[in-house]
Amino acid sequence: MERETVDLLQPLWRALVVFRVITWAFAVLGVWTRWDGIANPTGAVLQLAVMGVWTVISSIGYSRRWGRRNTRLAFADLIVTVGCMYATLWAQPLTDIRAGASVLTSVWAAGPVLALAISRGRDGGLLGAATISLALLSLRGVDNASAVLSNVQLLLVAGLVVGYAASTLRQAGNRLREAIAAESATAERLRLSRSIHDGVLQVLAQVQRRGTAIGGEALELAELAAEQEVALRTLMSSRPTVAEGDRVDLCGLLLPLATTRVDVVVPAGQVLLPAATATELVAAVKEALTNVVKHAGPDARSWVVVEDLGDAVVVSIRDDGIGTTPARLEQARVDGHLGVSQSIRGRIIDLGGTVTVRTGPDEGTEWELKVETA
């Protein structure tokens, strides 16, 4: 798709091409206005010709993808530009330059600083600025360092500002591509969901109803159809878990836990947690669901509910099983059964969170796991 190939840095590359052409024209104008003061005009014309040829080559490169996709052209630009700066010696003796004669490249020499800033960010801009500044200083001489200080400052500022802008645009481009990919995936998922809902899910629901009504061996078929229906609905409602940096969407990790006996209810938006926190919290939820299977009774159902409180997240795991008593839970811990004390309580406490359990005979069990979002 065309949208996926959009390059937010392209306006900067185009501006660089315009900058290269205009500053070369300024260099030509500078030579023309100082023609009588140039010791060797032929050398000046030759230098301008080399600069003009390289301006055409670099401009074509920066206008094409092959010239922008890596830093080879930018580094070549830096080397050629430094060479053109020293080519001023064809037109003016070094003594005249150190006495105040102009370096004929003028502002044109800032081109590779901008190119490196765009392609490599802040560090590339600073490298280009430092290299051009050292070349300028070597031509002017250490005794004239104060005279070139303003030029050095401008080069460093240009490298920093353009490099920062390029890095920001590059990050925005990456996020844009991720958003486009997520949008495309969501659209495809919706299309498949409609097809599945209109066909497969309706068939599975019909098989489940008919199998349950017939009974006998058909009952097993009905149960399998119900399981597959839940699995398909879970797949249709799944969403990406990765977010910015090391934060992930807790809801995307919990939704796949849904089965015919487990309902997972989550907010419509993402609930972002650090990846390590989300992993431990999901592990604790899985352990609580495992305990339901082991101890709540064969017909027990479970509900997992996520609440986003802003600065904290609460995950509740409730079942309608036979329940137990707090005393029996404590006795299980004393007897060495670590499922509750370590896999659930231990994980959440290590995260700095809190665990609350409510249970009673024939009242089911409800776990409330609360952790901070920071």
Side-chain angles (χ1 to χ4, degrees):
M1 296 176 59
E2 182 64 26
R3 290 185 305 170
E4 295 176 348
T5 62
V6 64
D7 183 6
L8 297 182
L9 294 177
Q10 192 169 3
L12 292 180
W13 290 113
R14 290 174 178 171
L16 174 59
V17 171
V18 174
F19 174 85
R20 268 310 211 184
V21 174
I22 292 177
T23 53
W24 178 79
F26 282 157
V28 173
L29 181 62
V31 170
W32 181 70
T33 57
R34 295 191 298 270
W35 185 263
D36 294 336
I38 296 176
N40 183 9
T42 302
V45 172
L46 180 60
Q47 179 185 7
L48 290 176
V50 173
M51 291 169 57
V53 171
W54 182 249
T55 297
V56 173
I57 295 174
S58 60
S59 296
I60 293 175
Y62 294 141
S63 300
R64 301 289 187 271
R65 186 178 179 184
W66 60 264
R68 302 193 299 259
R69 60 190 302 181
N70 55 55
T71 58
R72 292 178 183 175
L73 181 59
F75 278 115
D77 194 2
L78 180 64
I79 294 172
V80 173
T81 299
V82 171
C84 288
M85 293 177 67
Y86 283 109
T88 302
L89 297 175
W90 295 345
Q92 297 282 18
L94 183 61
T95 55
D96 290 353
I97 296 175
R98 293 187 173 179
S102 299
V103 177
L104 300 186
T105 51
S106 185
V107 186
W108 184 84
V113 177
L114 302 180
L116 285 169
I118 296 172
S119 61
R120 302 289 291 185
R122 178 199 61 190
D123 295 341
L126 289 178
L127 174 62
T131 303
I132 298 298
S133 298
L134 289 175
L136 182 61
L137 184 61
S138 67
L139 286 170
R140 289 294 190 185
V142 179
D143 295 336
N144 298 316
S146 59
V148 301
L149 182 60
S150 59
N151 293 331
V152 172
Q153 290 175 338
L154 288 175
L155 289 171
L156 290 174
V157 170
L160 281 172
V161 172
V162 176
Y164 177 77
S167 298
T168 302
L169 286 174
R170 189 172 288 107
Q171 293 173 359
N174 292 334
R175 292 177 182 176
L176 177 61
R177 283 189 290 272
E178 292 174 358
I180 291 174
E183 180 184 0
S184 300
T186 300
E188 180 65 14
R189 185 180 295 111
L190 289 174
R191 186 186 68 82
L192 291 175
S193 296
R194 288 192 294 267
S195 300
I196 292 173
H197 181 271
D198 294 339
V200 179
L201 288 180
Q202 292 184 4
V203 172
L204 289 175
Q206 181 67 13
V207 171
Q208 180 185 359
R209 287 194 297 269
R210 293 291 295 167
T212 302
I214 296 173
E217 296 181 356
L219 185 59
E220 182 180 355
L221 181 61
E223 293 176 351
L224 291 174
E227 293 175 0
Q228 293 305 309
E229 181 184 1
V230 171
L232 278 175
R233 290 188 184 277
T234 300
L235 179 62
M236 290 162 54
S237 63
S238 64
R239 57 200 196 194
T241 59
V242 178
E244 298 181 6
D246 66 338
R247 301 179 75 82
V248 298
D249 179 19
L250 176 65
C251 302
L253 297 175
L254 290 177
L255 282 172
L257 300 182
T259 67
T260 55
R261 295 188 178 278
V262 178
D263 292 331
V264 179
V265 181
V266 300
Q270 290 185 325
V271 178
L272 300 181
L273 291 176
T277 300
T279 300
E280 289 297 284
L281 185 54
V282 171
V285 172
K286 289 181 178 179
E287 181 62 28
L289 293 176
T290 299
N291 284 342
V292 174
V293 175
K294 291 180 178 179
H295 308 298
D299 298 325
R301 292 182 56 85
S302 303
W303 292 265
V304 178
V305 181
V306 179
E307 297 178 82
D308 186 0
L309 305 181
D311 59 347
V313 173
V314 176
V315 180
S316 302
I317 308 98
R318 181 173 62 85
D319 67 72
D320 59 359
I322 61 176
T324 184
T325 63
R328 292 181 61 185
L329 290 176
E330 178 61 22
Q331 185 61 44
R333 185 191 66 81
V334 173
D335 293 341
H337 299 289
L338 303 181
V340 172
S341 63
Q342 294 298 325
S343 296
I344 300 179
R345 290 187 185 276
R347 279 191 167 98
I348 304 305
I349 291 175
D350 287 345
L351 295 175
T354 58
V355 178
T356 304
V357 58
R358 304 179 185 88
T359 186
D362 298 324
E363 296 180 1
T365 303
E366 181 178 4
W367 291 91
E368 186 177 277
L369 316 179
K370 182 177 181 180
V371 297
E372 302 293 327
T373 56

